[in-house]
Amino acid sequence: MAVLSPRALRILRHPAAFALCTLRGFSKNQGLLLAGAVAYYALLSIVPMLILSVVALSHLVDQSDLLRTLGRSLEWLVPSQSEAVLADIAGFLENRVAYGTVLLVTMIFFSSVAFSVLAKAMSIIFSHHLTVSKRHFVVSALLPYSFVLLLGISLLGMTLVSITLASMAKESVELFGRDWSLSGVSGGLLYVLGLIGEVFIVSALYLVMPIRRIRLSHALIGGCTATILWEIIRHVLVWFFTHLSRASVVYGSLTTAVVALFSLEIAATLLLFGAQVISEYERLEAD
């Protein structure tokens, strides 16, 4: 039988106090301001990154299957705007030769800046740690592109899984004298796998972005926190933009960019908040 650590017991006894302490630390570290910077550069790099990923992976799997999986992934990242972003990506893919070099340079520049800003934000949040270390410049230079490669591999894996589950959805099993369709089961499995993938990617960021070492268990705590909060807010955003929002009236042709930036800023805020949870959790050990 697993025994909870003293820190975990302390949080369970006083969850409100821990949450308040985390919010105070997040506010002190200017978390919203840092999240805005991360979201801005992420928005500038995400479309070229996705286009290049689809172009590269289309040599391995069918492009239509890739775009279908990408649309589901975008719905997690930019709720209610995935179709508009996917339409822009499909339009660019028709001119892949003409835009290839421009997209590559754009992705390299803005993704490196976005990761640099994220690394600095993480260093601010984890500044309580007394150990001062410095990452080798080669590692710092290669880290953004290594993570982009990881995202591309994840997209390929999700596409292959999606194709498999789509085939399974067409099947049925006979049980208690009735044929039960597997379409609902496949959809549920895809959602669960998406959640697991989200936790994995966020936790990986907590492991590699801070200069100091983060324990895997602590990274998973932050990853689960950020993922659960984002799932709740994501469903609220979908409902809001579907039923209440009049952003298209106010912003016109800029609606997709504004809503995407707003969604990315919330996602970046929760990403940094998860890091703050890890930081406050580690502070309990020092107290």
Coordinates of all heavy atoms in Angstrom, one line a residue, residues 48-114:
P48 N 3.7 27.9 -39.5 CA 4.8 27.3 -40.3 C 5.3 26.0 -39.8 O 5.7 25.1 -40.6 CB 5.9 28.4 -40.3 CG 5.6 29.3 -39.2 CD 4.1 29.3 -39.0
M49 N 5.4 25.8 -38.5 CA 5.8 24.6 -37.9 C 4.9 23.4 -38.3 O 5.3 22.3 -38.7 CB 5.9 24.6 -36.4 CG 6.4 23.4 -35.8 SD 6.4 23.5 -34.0 CE 4.7 23.5 -33.6
L50 N 3.6 23.7 -38.3 CA 2.6 22.6 -38.6 C 2.6 22.3 -40.1 O 2.5 21.2 -40.5 CB 1.2 23.1 -38.2 CG 0.9 23.2 -36.7 CD1 -0.4 23.8 -36.4 CD2 1.1 21.8 -36.0
I51 N 2.8 23.4 -40.9 CA 2.9 23.2 -42.4 C 4.1 22.3 -42.7 O 3.9 21.3 -43.5 CB 2.9 24.5 -43.1 CG1 1.6 25.3 -43.0 CG2 3.2 24.3 -44.6 CD1 1.7 26.7 -43.5
L52 N 5.2 22.6 -42.2 CA 6.4 21.9 -42.5 C 6.3 20.4 -42.0 O 6.8 19.5 -42.6 CB 7.6 22.6 -41.9 CG 8.1 23.9 -42.6 CD1 9.2 24.6 -41.8 CD2 8.5 23.6 -44.0
S53 N 5.6 20.3 -40.8 CA 5.5 18.9 -40.3 C 4.6 18.1 -41.2 O 4.9 16.9 -41.5 CB 4.8 19.0 -38.9 OG 5.6 19.7 -38.0
V54 N 3.5 18.7 -41.7 CA 2.6 17.9 -42.6 C 3.4 17.6 -43.9 O 3.2 16.5 -44.4 CB 1.4 18.7 -42.9 CG1 0.5 18.1 -44.0 CG2 0.5 18.9 -41.6
V55 N 4.1 18.6 -44.5 CA 4.9 18.3 -45.7 C 5.9 17.2 -45.5 O 6.0 16.3 -46.3 CB 5.6 19.6 -46.1 CG1 6.6 19.3 -47.3 CG2 4.6 20.7 -46.6
A56 N 6.6 17.2 -44.4 CA 7.6 16.1 -44.1 C 6.9 14.8 -43.9 O 7.4 13.7 -44.4 CB 8.4 16.5 -42.9
L57 N 5.8 14.8 -43.1 CA 5.2 13.5 -42.7 C 4.3 12.9 -43.8 O 4.0 11.7 -43.8 CB 4.4 13.7 -41.4 CG 5.2 14.0 -40.2 CD1 4.2 14.2 -39.0 CD2 6.2 12.9 -39.8
S58 N 4.0 13.8 -44.8 CA 3.1 13.3 -45.9 C 3.8 12.3 -46.8 O 3.2 11.6 -47.5 CB 2.6 14.5 -46.8 OG 3.8 15.1 -47.3
H59 N 5.2 12.2 -46.6 CA 5.9 11.1 -47.3 C 5.8 9.8 -46.7 O 6.1 8.7 -47.2 CB 7.4 11.5 -47.4 CG 7.7 12.7 -48.2 ND1 7.7 14.0 -47.7 CD2 8.0 12.9 -49.5 CE1 8.0 14.9 -48.6 NE2 8.2 14.2 -49.7
L60 N 5.3 9.8 -45.4 CA 5.1 8.5 -44.7 C 3.7 8.1 -44.6 O 3.4 6.9 -44.6 CB 5.7 8.7 -43.3 CG 7.2 9.1 -43.2 CD1 7.5 9.3 -41.7 CD2 8.0 8.0 -43.8
V61 N 2.7 9.0 -44.5 CA 1.3 8.7 -44.4 C 0.5 9.6 -45.3 O 1.1 10.6 -45.8 CB 0.8 8.8 -42.9 CG1 1.4 7.7 -42.1 CG2 1.0 10.2 -42.4
D62 N -0.7 9.3 -45.5 CA -1.6 10.1 -46.4 C -1.8 11.5 -45.9 O -2.0 11.6 -44.7 CB -2.9 9.4 -46.6 CG -3.8 10.1 -47.6 OD1 -3.4 10.1 -48.8 OD2 -4.8 10.7 -47.2
Q63 N -1.7 12.5 -46.7 CA -1.8 13.9 -46.3 C -3.2 14.2 -45.7 O -3.3 14.9 -44.7 CB -1.5 14.8 -47.4 CG -1.5 16.3 -47.0 CD -1.0 17.2 -48.1 OE1 0.1 17.1 -48.6 NE2 -1.9 18.0 -48.6
S64 N -4.2 13.6 -46.3 CA -5.6 13.8 -45.8 C -5.7 13.3 -44.4 O -6.4 13.9 -43.5 CB -6.6 13.2 -46.7 OG -6.4 11.8 -46.8
D65 N -5.1 12.1 -44.1 CA -5.2 11.6 -42.7 C -4.4 12.5 -41.7 O -4.8 12.7 -40.6 CB -4.6 10.2 -42.7 CG -5.4 9.1 -43.4 OD1 -6.7 9.3 -43.4 OD2 -4.9 8.2 -44.0
L66 N -3.3 13.0 -42.2 CA -2.5 13.9 -41.4 C -3.3 15.2 -41.1 O -3.3 15.6 -39.9 CB -1.2 14.3 -42.1 CG 0.0 13.5 -41.9 CD1 1.2 14.0 -42.8 CD2 0.5 13.6 -40.4
L67 N -3.9 15.7 -42.1 CA -4.7 17.0 -41.8 C -5.9 16.7 -40.9 O -6.3 17.6 -40.1 CB -5.2 17.5 -43.2 CG -4.2 18.1 -44.1 CD1 -4.8 18.5 -45.4 CD2 -3.5 19.3 -43.4
R68 N -6.5 15.5 -41.0 CA -7.6 15.2 -40.1 C -7.1 15.1 -38.7 O -7.8 15.6 -37.8 CB -8.2 13.8 -40.6 CG -9.6 13.6 -40.0 CD -10.2 12.3 -40.5 NE -10.2 12.3 -41.9 CZ -9.5 11.5 -42.7 NH1 -8.7 10.6 -42.2 NH2 -9.6 11.5 -44.0
T69 N -6.0 14.4 -38.5 CA -5.4 14.4 -37.1 C -5.0 15.7 -36.6 O -5.2 16.1 -35.4 CB -4.2 13.4 -37.1 OG1 -4.6 12.1 -37.6 CG2 -3.6 13.3 -35.7
L70 N -4.4 16.5 -37.5 CA -4.0 17.9 -37.1 C -5.2 18.7 -36.7 O -5.1 19.5 -35.8 CB -3.2 18.5 -38.3 CG -2.6 19.9 -38.1 CD1 -1.6 19.8 -36.9 CD2 -1.9 20.4 -39.4
G71 N -6.3 18.5 -37.4 CA -7.5 19.3 -37.0 C -8.0 19.0 -35.6 O -8.3 19.9 -34.9
R72 N -7.9 17.7 -35.3 CA -8.3 17.3 -33.9 C -7.3 17.9 -32.9 O -7.7 18.3 -31.8 CB -8.3 15.8 -33.8 CG -9.6 15.2 -34.3 CD -9.7 13.7 -33.9 NE -8.7 12.9 -34.6 CZ -9.0 12.2 -35.8 NH1 -10.2 12.3 -36.3 NH2 -8.0 11.5 -36.4
S73 N -6.0 17.9 -33.2 CA -5.0 18.4 -32.3 C -5.2 19.9 -32.2 O -5.0 20.5 -31.1 CB -3.6 18.1 -32.8 OG -3.4 16.7 -33.0
L74 N -5.5 20.6 -33.3 CA -5.7 22.1 -33.2 C -6.9 22.4 -32.4 O -7.0 23.5 -31.7 CB -5.8 22.6 -34.6 CG -4.6 22.8 -35.4 CD1 -4.9 23.2 -36.9 CD2 -3.6 23.8 -34.8
E75 N -7.9 21.5 -32.4 CA -9.1 21.8 -31.5 C -8.7 21.8 -30.1 O -9.4 22.4 -29.3 CB -10.2 20.7 -31.8 CG -11.5 21.1 -31.3 CD -12.1 22.4 -31.8 OE1 -11.8 22.7 -32.9 OE2 -12.8 23.0 -31.0
W76 N -7.7 21.0 -29.7 CA -7.2 21.0 -28.3 C -6.5 22.3 -28.0 O -6.5 22.9 -26.9 CB -6.3 19.9 -28.1 CG -7.0 18.5 -28.0 CD1 -7.8 18.0 -29.0 CD2 -7.0 17.6 -27.0 NE1 -8.2 16.7 -28.6 CE2 -7.8 16.5 -27.4 CE3 -6.4 17.6 -25.7 CZ2 -8.0 15.4 -26.6 CZ3 -6.6 16.4 -24.9 CH2 -7.3 15.4 -25.4
L77 N -5.7 22.9 -29.1 CA -4.9 24.0 -28.8 C -5.6 25.3 -29.0 O -5.4 26.3 -28.3 CB -3.7 23.9 -29.8 CG -2.5 24.9 -29.5 CD1 -2.0 24.8 -28.1 CD2 -1.5 24.7 -30.6
V78 N -6.4 25.4 -30.1 CA -7.1 26.7 -30.4 C -8.6 26.3 -30.6 O -9.1 26.2 -31.7 CB -6.6 27.4 -31.6 CG1 -5.3 28.1 -31.3 CG2 -6.3 26.4 -32.8
P79 N -9.3 26.1 -29.5 CA -10.7 25.7 -29.5 C -11.6 26.6 -30.4 O -11.4 27.9 -30.3 CB -11.2 25.8 -28.1 CG -9.9 25.7 -27.3 CD -8.8 26.3 -28.1
S80 N -12.4 26.0 -31.2 CA -13.4 26.7 -32.1 C -12.7 27.4 -33.3 O -13.5 27.9 -34.2 CB -14.2 27.8 -31.3 OG -13.5 29.0 -31.1
Q81 N -11.4 27.4 -33.4 CA -10.7 28.0 -34.5 C -9.9 27.0 -35.4 O -9.2 27.4 -36.2 CB -9.8 29.2 -34.1 CG -10.6 30.3 -33.4 CD -11.5 31.0 -34.3 OE1 -11.2 31.3 -35.5 NE2 -12.8 31.2 -33.9
S82 N -10.1 25.7 -35.0 CA -9.2 24.7 -35.7 C -9.5 24.7 -37.2 O -8.6 24.5 -38.0 CB -9.4 23.4 -35.1 OG -10.8 23.0 -35.2
E83 N -10.8 24.8 -37.6 CA -11.1 24.7 -39.0 C -10.5 25.9 -39.8 O -10.0 25.7 -40.9 CB -12.7 24.7 -39.2 CG -13.3 23.5 -38.6 CD -14.8 23.5 -38.9 OE1 -15.3 24.4 -39.6 OE2 -15.5 22.5 -38.5
A84 N -10.5 27.1 -39.2 CA -10.0 28.2 -39.9 C -8.5 28.1 -40.1 O -7.9 28.3 -41.2 CB -10.3 29.5 -39.2
V85 N -7.8 27.7 -39.0 CA -6.3 27.5 -39.1 C -6.0 26.3 -40.1 O -5.1 26.4 -40.9 CB -5.8 27.2 -37.7 CG1 -4.3 26.9 -37.8 CG2 -6.0 28.3 -36.8
L86 N -6.8 25.3 -40.0 CA -6.5 24.1 -40.9 C -6.7 24.5 -42.4 O -6.0 24.1 -43.3 CB -7.5 23.0 -40.5 CG -7.1 21.6 -41.1 CD1 -5.7 21.2 -40.6 CD2 -8.1 20.6 -40.7
A87 N -7.7 25.4 -42.6 CA -7.9 25.9 -44.0 C -6.7 26.7 -44.5 O -6.3 26.5 -45.7 CB -9.2 26.7 -44.1
D88 N -6.2 27.5 -43.6 CA -5.0 28.3 -44.0 C -3.8 27.3 -44.3 O -3.0 27.5 -45.3 CB -4.6 29.2 -42.9 CG -5.6 30.4 -42.8 OD1 -6.3 30.6 -43.8 OD2 -5.7 31.0 -41.7
I89 N -3.6 26.3 -43.5 CA -2.5 25.3 -43.7 C -2.7 24.6 -45.0 O -1.8 24.4 -45.8 CB -2.5 24.4 -42.5 CG1 -2.1 25.1 -41.2 CG2 -1.5 23.2 -42.8 CD1 -2.1 24.2 -40.0
A90 N -4.0 24.2 -45.3 CA -4.2 23.5 -46.5 C -3.9 24.3 -47.7 O -3.4 23.9 -48.8 CB -5.7 23.0 -46.6
G91 N -4.2 25.7 -47.6 CA -4.0 26.6 -48.7 C -2.5 26.7 -49.0 O -2.0 26.8 -50.1
F92 N -1.7 26.8 -47.9 CA -0.2 26.9 -48.0 C 0.4 25.7 -48.6 O 1.4 25.7 -49.4 CB 0.4 27.2 -46.7 CG 0.5 28.7 -46.3 CD1 -0.3 29.2 -45.3 CD2 1.3 29.5 -47.0 CE1 -0.3 30.5 -45.0 CE2 1.4 30.9 -46.7 CZ 0.6 31.4 -45.7
L93 N -0.2 24.5 -48.3 CA 0.3 23.3 -48.8 C 0.3 23.2 -50.3 O 1.1 22.5 -50.9 CB -0.4 22.1 -48.2 CG -0.1 21.8 -46.7 CD1 -1.0 20.7 -46.2 CD2 1.4 21.5 -46.5
E94 N -0.6 23.9 -51.0 CA -0.7 23.9 -52.4 C 0.5 24.6 -53.1 O 0.7 24.4 -54.2 CB -2.0 24.5 -52.8 CG -3.3 23.8 -52.4 CD -4.5 24.5 -52.8 OE1 -4.4 25.6 -53.4 OE2 -5.6 24.0 -52.4
N95 N 1.2 25.4 -52.3 CA 2.3 26.2 -52.8 C 3.6 25.8 -52.0 O 4.4 26.7 -51.7 CB 2.1 27.7 -52.7 CG 0.8 28.1 -53.4 OD1 0.7 28.1 -54.7 ND2 -0.3 28.3 -52.7
R96 N 3.7 24.6 -51.7 CA 4.8 24.2 -50.8 C 6.2 24.5 -51.3 O 7.1 24.8 -50.6 CB 4.7 22.7 -50.5 CG 5.0 21.8 -51.6 CD 5.0 20.3 -51.2 NE 3.7 19.9 -50.8 CZ 3.4 18.7 -50.4 NH1 4.4 17.8 -50.3 NH2 2.2 18.3 -50.0
V97 N 6.4 24.5 -52.7 CA 7.7 24.7 -53.2 C 8.0 26.2 -53.1 O 9.1 26.6 -52.7 CB 7.7 24.3 -54.7 CG1 9.0 24.7 -55.3 CG2 7.5 22.8 -54.9
A98 N 7.1 27.1 -53.4 CA 7.3 28.5 -53.3 C 7.5 29.0 -51.9 O 8.3 30.0 -51.7 CB 6.1 29.2 -54.0
Y99 N 6.9 28.4 -51.0 CA 6.9 29.0 -49.6 C 7.9 28.2 -48.7 O 8.0 28.5 -47.5 CB 5.5 29.0 -49.0 CG 4.6 30.0 -49.6 CD1 3.6 29.6 -50.5 CD2 4.8 31.4 -49.4 CE1 2.8 30.5 -51.1 CE2 3.9 32.3 -50.0 CZ 2.9 31.9 -50.8 OH 2.1 32.8 -51.4
G100 N 8.4 27.1 -49.2 CA 9.2 26.2 -48.3 C 10.3 26.9 -47.6 O 10.5 26.8 -46.3
T101 N 11.2 27.6 -48.3 CA 12.3 28.3 -47.6 C 11.9 29.4 -46.6 O 12.4 29.5 -45.5 CB 13.2 29.0 -48.7 OG1 13.6 28.0 -49.6 CG2 14.4 29.6 -48.1
V102 N 10.8 30.1 -47.0 CA 10.3 31.2 -46.1 C 9.8 30.6 -44.9 O 10.0 31.1 -43.8 CB 9.3 32.0 -46.9 CG1 8.6 33.0 -45.9 CG2 9.8 32.7 -48.1
L103 N 9.0 29.5 -45.0 CA 8.4 28.8 -43.8 C 9.5 28.3 -42.9 O 9.4 28.4 -41.7 CB 7.5 27.7 -44.3 CG 6.2 28.1 -44.9 CD1 5.5 27.0 -45.5 CD2 5.3 28.8 -43.8
L104 N 10.6 27.7 -43.5 CA 11.6 27.1 -42.7 C 12.3 28.2 -41.9 O 12.6 28.0 -40.7 CB 12.6 26.4 -43.6 CG 13.8 25.7 -42.9 CD1 13.3 24.6 -42.0 CD2 14.7 25.1 -43.9
V105 N 12.7 29.3 -42.5 CA 13.4 30.4 -41.8 C 12.5 31.0 -40.8 O 12.9 31.2 -39.6 CB 13.8 31.5 -42.8 CG1 14.4 32.7 -42.1 CG2 14.8 30.9 -43.8
T106 N 11.2 31.1 -41.1 CA 10.2 31.7 -40.1 C 10.1 30.8 -38.9 O 10.1 31.2 -37.7 CB 8.8 31.9 -40.8 OG1 9.0 32.8 -41.9 CG2 7.9 32.5 -39.8
M107 N 10.0 29.5 -39.1 CA 9.8 28.5 -38.0 C 11.1 28.5 -37.2 O 11.0 28.5 -35.9 CB 9.5 27.1 -38.6 CG 9.2 26.1 -37.5 SD 9.5 24.4 -38.0 CE 11.3 24.4 -38.0
I108 N 12.2 28.5 -37.8 CA 13.5 28.4 -37.0 C 13.6 29.7 -36.2 O 14.0 29.5 -35.0 CB 14.7 28.3 -38.0 CG1 14.7 26.9 -38.6 CG2 16.0 28.6 -37.3 CD1 15.8 26.7 -39.7
F109 N 13.3 30.8 -36.7 CA 13.5 32.0 -35.9 C 12.5 32.2 -34.8 O 12.9 32.3 -33.6 CB 13.4 33.3 -36.8 CG 13.5 34.6 -36.1 CD1 14.7 35.0 -35.7 CD2 12.4 35.3 -35.9 CE1 14.8 36.2 -35.0 CE2 12.5 36.5 -35.2 CZ 13.7 37.0 -34.7
F110 N 11.3 32.1 -35.1 CA 10.3 32.3 -34.1 C 10.1 31.2 -33.1 O 9.8 31.4 -31.9 CB 8.9 32.6 -34.7 CG 8.8 34.0 -35.3 CD1 8.6 34.1 -36.7 CD2 8.9 35.1 -34.6 CE1 8.6 35.4 -37.3 CE2 8.8 36.4 -35.1 CZ 8.6 36.5 -36.5
S111 N 10.4 30.0 -33.5 CA 10.3 28.9 -32.5 C 11.5 29.0 -31.5 O 11.4 28.7 -30.3 CB 10.4 27.5 -33.2 OG 11.6 27.3 -34.0
S112 N 12.7 29.4 -32.0 CA 13.8 29.6 -31.1 C 13.6 30.7 -30.1 O 13.9 30.6 -29.0 CB 15.1 29.8 -31.9 OG 15.0 31.0 -32.7
V113 N 12.9 31.8 -30.6 CA 12.6 32.9 -29.7 C 11.6 32.4 -28.7 O 11.7 32.8 -27.5 CB 12.1 34.1 -30.5 CG1 11.6 35.2 -29.6 CG2 13.2 34.6 -31.4
A114 N 10.5 31.7 -29.2 CA 9.5 31.3 -28.2 C 10.1 30.3 -27.2 O 9.7 30.5 -26.0 CB 8.4 30.5 -29.0

